[in-house]
Amino acid sequence: MILETERLILRRFTEEDMEALFLILKDEEVNKFLPWYPLKNLEETKKFYEERYASKYEQPQAYAYAICLKEDNFPIGYIKVDMEEHHDFGYGLRKEFWHKGIVAEAGKAVVEQVKRDGLPYITATHDKNNPRSGNVMKNTFIEHSFIINNFVVMIGRQIKDSLCRVLGDGVQYQWYENDDKIIIPDVSINCNTRDRKNVSLTGIPRMIMEVLSNATEEYDRGEKMEIYQKVGVSEYWIVDWRKKQVEIYLNDGKEDGTTCFYLYKTVMKENKEDLQLVMFPNLKTDFDEVFNL
């Protein structure tokens, strides 16, 4: 089955696509976090195609697509959902097409198709050193994007005349406490946006929000939360659009001089009037507006 989006055609790879597939699979940077080494020649590419694409296309259902621009129908990447029990979601894209929203656009089309076909779930994982891939996976689910946009719009209109800014998931941070590794929150409220390192902000946000997904829940509750606690983020929201639930954590000092997050409040539909930014008590937050999906 061929899928189409505003800019893309998602179709099967064919034997005529070997040069295009080789361009995708030979690049070390593109394939850095994938479970195979970059391919060296067209012979290896043909074998890869036969094992990972042609064999799948013989199955009754196969979600293994070439990502092509409509203007020339030439493969610039791939996207797939495995039919094995884990139904793993994965993708690859030539780096000259990065940062254009192409994989997110393709991913949404594929996810909608597997939903229509009755696939009960998919799974997705990414290397912790590749946070942008995690963002792509999260943005594949439109509910995730809606939550972020709803919050940014709701808070943004209230603080537009202040020094603080509410920032969405296109903004990255680098902190020396985190060895200057790039980290990308879903939402942050930052009152010190002048401190920067190249294209990264280095000031500490007073509040950060992460919207959970199957791909990133462990990371958001584990390593990311530890980083935010260590650098001194005062307030941390974990939002679960599946349960319509917000967990509000506050960073508190301990006797030994260290800090830790503690669960201040869990807000659900039953107590939705309790949803409030602790660090910004004058800003109004509306539960129904956040979860307007």
Side-chain angles (χ1 to χ4, degrees):
M1 175 181 292
I2 296 175
L3 304 179
E4 291 193 27
T5 69
E6 181 179 352
R7 297 178 293 170
L8 308 173
I9 294 172
L10 308 180
R11 61 167 176 82
R12 291 183 173 187
F13 282 102
T14 70
E15 292 187 356
E16 286 70 42
D17 294 322
M18 292 306 99
E19 290 189 8
L21 186 58
F22 180 49
L23 289 176
I24 301 166
L25 297 174
K26 74 174 185 177
D27 190 294
E28 291 187 7
E29 192 171 357
V30 171
N31 295 276
K32 180 178 180 180
F33 298 103
L34 298 177
W36 54 73
Y37 293 106
L39 303 189
K40 298 177 181 178
N41 51 52
L42 285 173
E43 184 178 349
E44 289 185 353
T45 305
K46 181 67 181 299
K47 183 179 179 181
F48 188 98
Y49 163 78
E50 291 171 350
E51 293 176 352
R52 296 180 179 266
Y53 290 102
S55 61
K56 292 182 183 296
Y57 295 151
E58 295 175 359
Q59 300 174 4
Q61 278 184 305
Y63 303 100
Y65 298 96
I67 301 175
C68 309
L69 295 176
K70 279 186 173 180
E71 58 197 47
D72 57 14
N73 200 23
F74 187 81
I76 59 173
Y78 63 84
I79 192 164
K80 57 90 176 177
V81 174
D82 290 335
M83 289 308 297
E84 286 77 13
E85 184 178 359
H86 47 77
H87 301 312
D88 188 50
F89 172 88
Y91 69 91
L93 187 72
R94 282 168 49 192
K95 61 185 177 185
E96 56 262 48
F97 297 97
W98 290 1
H99 313 311
K100 300 179 185 293
I102 288 174
V103 173
E105 184 175 329
K108 288 172 184 176
V110 173
V111 168
E112 287 304 311
Q113 184 60 49
V114 300
K115 283 182 179 178
R116 286 193 293 268
D117 292 343
L119 207 66
Y121 63 89
I122 65 173
T123 63
T125 59
H126 69 93
D127 192 290
K128 66 181 183 181
N129 295 317
N130 189 17
R132 289 193 178 277
S133 183
N135 273 13
V136 169
M137 291 176 178
K138 289 188 291 186
N139 288 336
T140 297
F141 298 91
I142 195 167
E143 294 89 348
H144 179 274
S145 299
F146 280 164
I147 295 286
I148 294 172
N149 185 69
N150 291 346
F151 187 88
V152 169
V153 170
M154 178 178 64
I155 300 302
R157 63 174 175 251
Q158 299 179 67
I159 64 172
K160 61 181 180 179
D161 296 324
S162 76
L163 294 176
C164 300
R165 295 288 183 269
V166 57
L167 306 167
D169 58 351
V171 176
Q172 65 186 37
Y173 287 86
Q174 287 180 271
W175 300 306
Y176 73 88
E177 298 95 336
N178 190 40
D179 299 324
D180 281 334
K181 294 178 181 177
I182 290 173
I183 192 163
I184 306 171
D186 285 337
V187 175
S188 58
I189 301 180
N190 195 323
C191 302
N192 181 18
T193 58
R194 292 183 178 180
D195 290 345
R196 305 180 184 185
K197 181 178 182 180
N198 298 322
V199 296
S200 300
L201 296 181
T202 58
I204 308 299
R206 295 180 65 184
M207 180 270 184
I208 282 179
M209 181 176 86
E210 295 288 353
V211 183
L212 297 182
S213 70
N214 293 337
T216 64
E217 180 166 3
E218 183 177 352
Y219 183 42
D220 291 340
R221 292 188 178 278
E223 185 174 344
K224 250 187 174 181
M225 190 172 186
E226 291 178 5
I227 292 169
Y228 297 152
Q229 170 253 306
K230 181 170 64 174
V231 302
V233 174
S234 299
E235 183 173 353
Y236 181 41
W237 285 23
I238 294 180
V239 179
D240 192 333
W241 59 266
R242 301 160 299 186
K243 298 178 180 179
K244 288 194 173 181
Q245 173 182 292
V246 181
E247 298 170 25
I248 301 174
Y249 292 86
L250 299 181
N251 204 347
D252 194 19
K254 298 194 294 185
E255 291 183 359
D256 61 2
T258 61
T259 62
C260 67
F261 277 125
Y262 71 93
L263 180 59
Y264 170 72
K265 189 177 293 184
T266 299
V267 182
M268 304 180 72
K269 186 176 181 180
E270 293 75 14
N271 64 328
K272 64 182 183 180
E273 301 302 325
D274 292 341
L275 190 66
Q276 178 62 56
L277 284 161
V278 179
M279 294 296 110
F280 299 89
N282 294 326
L283 299 180
K284 296 180 180 180
T285 52
D286 185 280
F287 184 93
D288 292 327
E289 186 172 350
V290 172
F291 290 102
N292 181 19
L293 305 178

mmCIF file of all heavy atoms in Angstrom, residues 28-56:
data_model
loop_
_atom_site.group_PDB
_atom_site.id
_atom_site.type_symbol
_atom_site.label_atom_id
_atom_site.label_comp_id
_atom_site.label_asym_id
_atom_site.label_seq_id
_atom_site.Cartn_x
_atom_site.Cartn_y
_atom_site.Cartn_z
ATOM 1 N N GLU A 28 27.936 7.168 7.863
ATOM 2 C CA GLU A 28 28.237 6.791 9.239
ATOM 3 C C GLU A 28 27.400 7.581 10.245
ATOM 4 O O GLU A 28 26.957 7.039 11.258
ATOM 5 C CB GLU A 28 29.726 7.002 9.534
ATOM 6 C CG GLU A 28 30.643 6.027 8.806
ATOM 7 C CD GLU A 28 32.084 6.153 9.253
ATOM 8 O OE1 GLU A 28 32.338 6.900 10.224
ATOM 9 O OE2 GLU A 28 32.949 5.505 8.636
ATOM 10 N N GLU A 29 27.169 8.862 9.971
ATOM 11 C CA GLU A 29 26.410 9.684 10.916
ATOM 12 C C GLU A 29 24.949 9.274 10.953
ATOM 13 O O GLU A 29 24.327 9.217 12.017
ATOM 14 C CB GLU A 29 26.544 11.161 10.549
ATOM 15 C CG GLU A 29 26.030 12.100 11.617
ATOM 16 C CD GLU A 29 26.357 13.553 11.337
ATOM 17 O OE1 GLU A 29 27.033 13.834 10.325
ATOM 18 O OE2 GLU A 29 25.931 14.403 12.138
ATOM 19 N N VAL A 30 24.378 8.970 9.793
ATOM 20 C CA VAL A 30 22.982 8.552 9.716
ATOM 21 C C VAL A 30 22.771 7.233 10.452
ATOM 22 O O VAL A 30 21.757 7.022 11.129
ATOM 23 C CB VAL A 30 22.538 8.416 8.244
ATOM 24 C CG1 VAL A 30 21.159 7.759 8.142
ATOM 25 C CG2 VAL A 30 22.519 9.782 7.569
ATOM 26 N N ASN A 31 23.749 6.333 10.359
ATOM 27 C CA ASN A 31 23.601 4.984 10.903
ATOM 28 C C ASN A 31 24.326 4.781 12.230
ATOM 29 O O ASN A 31 24.478 3.653 12.699
ATOM 30 C CB ASN A 31 24.113 3.977 9.873
ATOM 31 C CG ASN A 31 23.278 3.968 8.609
ATOM 32 O OD1 ASN A 31 22.256 3.319 8.542
ATOM 33 N ND2 ASN A 31 23.708 4.718 7.596
ATOM 34 N N LYS A 32 24.745 5.873 12.856
ATOM 35 C CA LYS A 32 25.552 5.801 14.077
ATOM 36 C C LYS A 32 24.858 5.038 15.192
ATOM 37 O O LYS A 32 25.493 4.260 15.911
ATOM 38 C CB LYS A 32 25.892 7.222 14.543
ATOM 39 C CG LYS A 32 26.722 7.280 15.808
ATOM 40 C CD LYS A 32 27.054 8.730 16.163
ATOM 41 C CE LYS A 32 27.890 8.821 17.426
ATOM 42 N NZ LYS A 32 28.219 10.229 17.781
ATOM 43 N N PHE A 33 23.563 5.228 15.381
ATOM 44 C CA PHE A 33 22.858 4.634 16.512
ATOM 45 C C PHE A 33 22.014 3.430 16.103
ATOM 46 O O PHE A 33 21.145 3.003 16.863
ATOM 47 C CB PHE A 33 21.967 5.687 17.180
ATOM 48 C CG PHE A 33 22.730 6.852 17.748
ATOM 49 C CD1 PHE A 33 22.761 8.077 17.090
ATOM 50 C CD2 PHE A 33 23.435 6.723 18.937
ATOM 51 C CE1 PHE A 33 23.461 9.149 17.614
ATOM 52 C CE2 PHE A 33 24.142 7.789 19.473
ATOM 53 C CZ PHE A 33 24.156 9.006 18.806
ATOM 54 N N LEU A 34 22.272 2.871 14.917
ATOM 55 C CA LEU A 34 21.482 1.751 14.418
ATOM 56 C C LEU A 34 22.231 0.437 14.592
ATOM 57 O O LEU A 34 23.461 0.416 14.687
ATOM 58 C CB LEU A 34 21.132 1.995 12.946
ATOM 59 C CG LEU A 34 20.266 3.247 12.706
ATOM 60 C CD1 LEU A 34 20.036 3.463 11.227
ATOM 61 C CD2 LEU A 34 18.931 3.127 13.431
ATOM 62 N N PRO A 35 21.516 -0.689 14.631
ATOM 63 C CA PRO A 35 22.147 -1.987 14.948
ATOM 64 C C PRO A 35 22.846 -2.648 13.764
ATOM 65 O O PRO A 35 22.772 -3.856 13.600
ATOM 66 C CB PRO A 35 20.954 -2.817 15.438
ATOM 67 C CG PRO A 35 19.790 -2.283 14.684
ATOM 68 C CD PRO A 35 20.044 -0.796 14.550
ATOM 69 N N TRP A 36 23.491 -1.866 12.931
ATOM 70 C CA TRP A 36 24.310 -2.418 11.851
ATOM 71 C C TRP A 36 25.365 -1.388 11.476
ATOM 72 O O TRP A 36 25.261 -0.210 11.803
ATOM 73 C CB TRP A 36 23.454 -2.779 10.630
ATOM 74 C CG TRP A 36 22.603 -1.657 10.116
ATOM 75 C CD1 TRP A 36 22.995 -0.547 9.438
ATOM 76 C CD2 TRP A 36 21.182 -1.531 10.269
ATOM 77 N NE1 TRP A 36 21.938 0.270 9.144
ATOM 78 C CE2 TRP A 36 20.801 -0.314 9.639
ATOM 79 C CE3 TRP A 36 20.191 -2.329 10.849
ATOM 80 C CZ2 TRP A 36 19.480 0.109 9.599
ATOM 81 C CZ3 TRP A 36 18.883 -1.897 10.803
ATOM 82 C CH2 TRP A 36 18.540 -0.697 10.184
ATOM 83 N N TYR A 37 26.387 -1.843 10.799
ATOM 84 C CA TYR A 37 27.450 -0.941 10.356
ATOM 85 C C TYR A 37 27.063 -0.318 9.021
ATOM 86 O O TYR A 37 26.306 -0.901 8.238
ATOM 87 C CB TYR A 37 28.769 -1.702 10.204
ATOM 88 C CG TYR A 37 29.327 -2.202 11.512
ATOM 89 C CD1 TYR A 37 29.266 -3.551 11.847
ATOM 90 C CD2 TYR A 37 29.914 -1.326 12.416
ATOM 91 C CE1 TYR A 37 29.767 -4.022 13.057
ATOM 92 C CE2 TYR A 37 30.422 -1.774 13.630
ATOM 93 C CZ TYR A 37 30.338 -3.124 13.937
ATOM 94 O OH TYR A 37 30.830 -3.574 15.133
ATOM 95 N N PRO A 38 27.575 0.873 8.721
ATOM 96 C CA PRO A 38 27.315 1.471 7.411
ATOM 97 C C PRO A 38 27.745 0.521 6.290
ATOM 98 O O PRO A 38 28.777 -0.156 6.395
ATOM 99 C CB PRO A 38 28.174 2.743 7.425
ATOM 100 C CG PRO A 38 28.321 3.071 8.873
ATOM 101 C CD PRO A 38 28.385 1.750 9.588
ATOM 102 N N LEU A 39 26.944 0.469 5.244
ATOM 103 C CA LEU A 39 27.249 -0.437 4.132
ATOM 104 C C LEU A 39 28.357 0.143 3.264
ATOM 105 O O LEU A 39 28.533 1.350 3.162
ATOM 106 C CB LEU A 39 25.989 -0.691 3.312
ATOM 107 C CG LEU A 39 24.789 -1.271 4.080
ATOM 108 C CD1 LEU A 39 23.686 -1.685 3.119
ATOM 109 C CD2 LEU A 39 25.196 -2.455 4.958
ATOM 110 N N LYS A 40 29.100 -0.771 2.609
ATOM 111 C CA LYS A 40 30.299 -0.361 1.867
ATOM 112 C C LYS A 40 30.092 -0.296 0.367
ATOM 113 O O LYS A 40 30.842 0.396 -0.329
ATOM 114 C CB LYS A 40 31.448 -1.317 2.183
ATOM 115 C CG LYS A 40 31.849 -1.322 3.650
ATOM 116 C CD LYS A 40 32.951 -2.341 3.909
ATOM 117 C CE LYS A 40 33.338 -2.370 5.384
ATOM 118 N NZ LYS A 40 34.386 -3.392 5.667
ATOM 119 N N ASN A 41 29.119 -1.026 -0.159
ATOM 120 C CA ASN A 41 28.964 -1.077 -1.611
ATOM 121 C C ASN A 41 27.547 -1.505 -1.979
ATOM 122 O O ASN A 41 26.731 -1.858 -1.115
ATOM 123 C CB ASN A 41 29.998 -2.029 -2.232
ATOM 124 C CG ASN A 41 30.005 -3.385 -1.541
ATOM 125 O OD1 ASN A 41 28.961 -4.023 -1.394
ATOM 126 N ND2 ASN A 41 31.184 -3.827 -1.101
ATOM 127 N N LEU A 42 27.274 -1.509 -3.290
ATOM 128 C CA LEU A 42 25.941 -1.867 -3.777
ATOM 129 C C LEU A 42 25.634 -3.343 -3.563
ATOM 130 O O LEU A 42 24.467 -3.725 -3.402
ATOM 131 C CB LEU A 42 25.829 -1.518 -5.260
ATOM 132 C CG LEU A 42 25.667 -0.029 -5.590
ATOM 133 C CD1 LEU A 42 25.749 0.210 -7.082
ATOM 134 C CD2 LEU A 42 24.334 0.499 -5.049
ATOM 135 N N GLU A 43 26.668 -4.172 -3.543
ATOM 136 C CA GLU A 43 26.450 -5.602 -3.304
ATOM 137 C C GLU A 43 25.877 -5.837 -1.901
ATOM 138 O O GLU A 43 24.924 -6.620 -1.729
ATOM 139 C CB GLU A 43 27.768 -6.368 -3.470
ATOM 140 C CG GLU A 43 27.611 -7.870 -3.336
ATOM 141 C CD GLU A 43 28.930 -8.612 -3.563
ATOM 142 O OE1 GLU A 43 29.892 -7.976 -4.028
ATOM 143 O OE2 GLU A 43 28.963 -9.815 -3.270
ATOM 144 N N GLU A 44 26.464 -5.163 -0.910
ATOM 145 C CA GLU A 44 25.926 -5.269 0.446
ATOM 146 C C GLU A 44 24.519 -4.674 0.529
ATOM 147 O O GLU A 44 23.660 -5.179 1.265
ATOM 148 C CB GLU A 44 26.839 -4.544 1.429
ATOM 149 C CG GLU A 44 28.169 -5.238 1.679
ATOM 150 C CD GLU A 44 29.005 -4.557 2.747
ATOM 151 O OE1 GLU A 44 28.616 -3.464 3.212
ATOM 152 O OE2 GLU A 44 30.039 -5.131 3.129
ATOM 153 N N THR A 45 24.281 -3.617 -0.234
ATOM 154 C CA THR A 45 22.964 -2.991 -0.241
ATOM 155 C C THR A 45 21.910 -3.940 -0.794
ATOM 156 O O THR A 45 20.801 -4.045 -0.255
ATOM 157 C CB THR A 45 22.993 -1.699 -1.074
ATOM 158 O OG1 THR A 45 24.012 -0.834 -0.577
ATOM 159 C CG2 THR A 45 21.648 -0.990 -1.021
ATOM 160 N N LYS A 46 22.256 -4.650 -1.861
ATOM 161 C CA LYS A 46 21.311 -5.602 -2.460
ATOM 162 C C LYS A 46 20.977 -6.714 -1.462
ATOM 163 O O LYS A 46 19.809 -7.116 -1.324
ATOM 164 C CB LYS A 46 21.921 -6.201 -3.727
ATOM 165 C CG LYS A 46 21.016 -7.191 -4.457
ATOM 166 C CD LYS A 46 19.788 -6.510 -5.037
ATOM 167 C CE LYS A 46 18.876 -7.499 -5.757
ATOM 168 N NZ LYS A 46 19.525 -8.177 -6.893
ATOM 169 N N LYS A 47 21.975 -7.190 -0.743
ATOM 170 C CA LYS A 47 21.730 -8.234 0.255
ATOM 171 C C LYS A 47 20.852 -7.698 1.377
ATOM 172 O O LYS A 47 19.928 -8.388 1.848
ATOM 173 C CB LYS A 47 23.062 -8.736 0.814
ATOM 174 C CG LYS A 47 22.916 -9.876 1.808
ATOM 175 C CD LYS A 47 24.279 -10.346 2.299
ATOM 176 C CE LYS A 47 24.129 -11.486 3.316
ATOM 177 N NZ LYS A 47 25.446 -11.937 3.832
ATOM 178 N N PHE A 48 21.117 -6.477 1.811
ATOM 179 C CA PHE A 48 20.315 -5.832 2.855
ATOM 180 C C PHE A 48 18.862 -5.716 2.390
ATOM 181 O O PHE A 48 17.930 -6.013 3.138
ATOM 182 C CB PHE A 48 20.890 -4.445 3.154
ATOM 183 C CG PHE A 48 20.278 -3.745 4.336
ATOM 184 C CD1 PHE A 48 20.900 -3.774 5.582
ATOM 185 C CD2 PHE A 48 19.093 -3.031 4.217
ATOM 186 C CE1 PHE A 48 20.350 -3.110 6.679
ATOM 187 C CE2 PHE A 48 18.529 -2.365 5.302
ATOM 188 C CZ PHE A 48 19.158 -2.411 6.537
ATOM 189 N N TYR A 49 18.661 -5.291 1.163
ATOM 190 C CA TYR A 49 17.319 -5.160 0.599
ATOM 191 C C TYR A 49 16.593 -6.502 0.587
ATOM 192 O O TYR A 49 15.418 -6.593 0.980
ATOM 193 C CB TYR A 49 17.406 -4.593 -0.815
ATOM 194 C CG TYR A 49 16.150 -4.785 -1.633
ATOM 195 C CD1 TYR A 49 15.034 -3.971 -1.435
ATOM 196 C CD2 TYR A 49 16.079 -5.784 -2.597
ATOM 197 C CE1 TYR A 49 13.876 -4.153 -2.182
ATOM 198 C CE2 TYR A 49 14.931 -5.972 -3.343
ATOM 199 C CZ TYR A 49 13.834 -5.166 -3.132
ATOM 200 O OH TYR A 49 12.694 -5.354 -3.864
ATOM 201 N N GLU A 50 17.273 -7.532 0.159
ATOM 202 C CA GLU A 50 16.637 -8.846 0.069
ATOM 203 C C GLU A 50 16.234 -9.375 1.437
ATOM 204 O O GLU A 50 15.161 -9.964 1.604
ATOM 205 C CB GLU A 50 17.578 -9.837 -0.629
ATOM 206 C CG GLU A 50 17.776 -9.520 -2.109
ATOM 207 C CD GLU A 50 18.861 -10.373 -2.744
ATOM 208 O OE1 GLU A 50 19.587 -11.064 -1.987
ATOM 209 O OE2 GLU A 50 18.990 -10.353 -3.989
ATOM 210 N N GLU A 51 17.106 -9.143 2.440
ATOM 211 C CA GLU A 51 16.839 -9.678 3.775
ATOM 212 C C GLU A 51 15.815 -8.856 4.544
ATOM 213 O O GLU A 51 14.996 -9.417 5.286
ATOM 214 C CB GLU A 51 18.150 -9.737 4.579
ATOM 215 C CG GLU A 51 19.149 -10.749 4.041
ATOM 216 C CD GLU A 51 20.459 -10.719 4.806
ATOM 217 O OE1 GLU A 51 20.625 -9.796 5.645
ATOM 218 O OE2 GLU A 51 21.297 -11.600 4.585
ATOM 219 N N ARG A 52 15.851 -7.542 4.386
ATOM 220 C CA ARG A 52 15.039 -6.679 5.242
ATOM 221 C C ARG A 52 13.831 -6.057 4.555
ATOM 222 O O ARG A 52 12.985 -5.477 5.229
ATOM 223 C CB ARG A 52 15.918 -5.581 5.848
ATOM 224 C CG ARG A 52 16.984 -6.138 6.780
ATOM 225 C CD ARG A 52 17.841 -5.027 7.363
ATOM 226 N NE ARG A 52 18.844 -5.548 8.270
ATOM 227 C CZ ARG A 52 18.703 -5.654 9.598
ATOM 228 N NH1 ARG A 52 17.562 -5.262 10.144
ATOM 229 N NH2 ARG A 52 19.659 -6.142 10.350
ATOM 230 N N TYR A 53 13.772 -6.143 3.235
ATOM 231 C CA TYR A 53 12.632 -5.565 2.537
ATOM 232 C C TYR A 53 11.908 -6.587 1.667
ATOM 233 O O TYR A 53 10.717 -6.838 1.872
ATOM 234 C CB TYR A 53 13.073 -4.350 1.707
ATOM 235 C CG TYR A 53 13.449 -3.177 2.574
ATOM 236 C CD1 TYR A 53 14.786 -2.869 2.827
ATOM 237 C CD2 TYR A 53 12.471 -2.397 3.187
ATOM 238 C CE1 TYR A 53 15.131 -1.806 3.653
ATOM 239 C CE2 TYR A 53 12.812 -1.329 4.017
ATOM 240 C CZ TYR A 53 14.148 -1.047 4.245
ATOM 241 O OH TYR A 53 14.478 -0.004 5.085
ATOM 242 N N ALA A 54 12.604 -7.180 0.702
ATOM 243 C CA ALA A 54 11.941 -8.114 -0.207
ATOM 244 C C ALA A 54 11.259 -9.243 0.552
ATOM 245 O O ALA A 54 10.123 -9.634 0.231
ATOM 246 C CB ALA A 54 12.956 -8.670 -1.213
ATOM 247 N N SER A 55 11.925 -9.772 1.583
ATOM 248 C CA SER A 55 11.334 -10.875 2.355
ATOM 249 C C SER A 55 10.092 -10.414 3.118
ATOM 250 O O SER A 55 9.119 -11.163 3.243
ATOM 251 C CB SER A 55 12.365 -11.453 3.328
ATOM 252 O OG SER A 55 12.794 -10.472 4.260
ATOM 253 N N LYS A 56 10.114 -9.174 3.615
ATOM 254 C CA LYS A 56 8.950 -8.651 4.337
ATOM 255 C C LYS A 56 7.767 -8.433 3.402
ATOM 256 O O LYS A 56 6.607 -8.602 3.789
ATOM 257 C CB LYS A 56 9.309 -7.348 5.049
ATOM 258 C CG LYS A 56 10.288 -7.503 6.201
ATOM 259 C CD LYS A 56 10.543 -6.172 6.875
ATOM 260 C CE LYS A 56 11.581 -6.298 7.984
ATOM 261 N NZ LYS A 56 11.139 -7.147 9.088
#
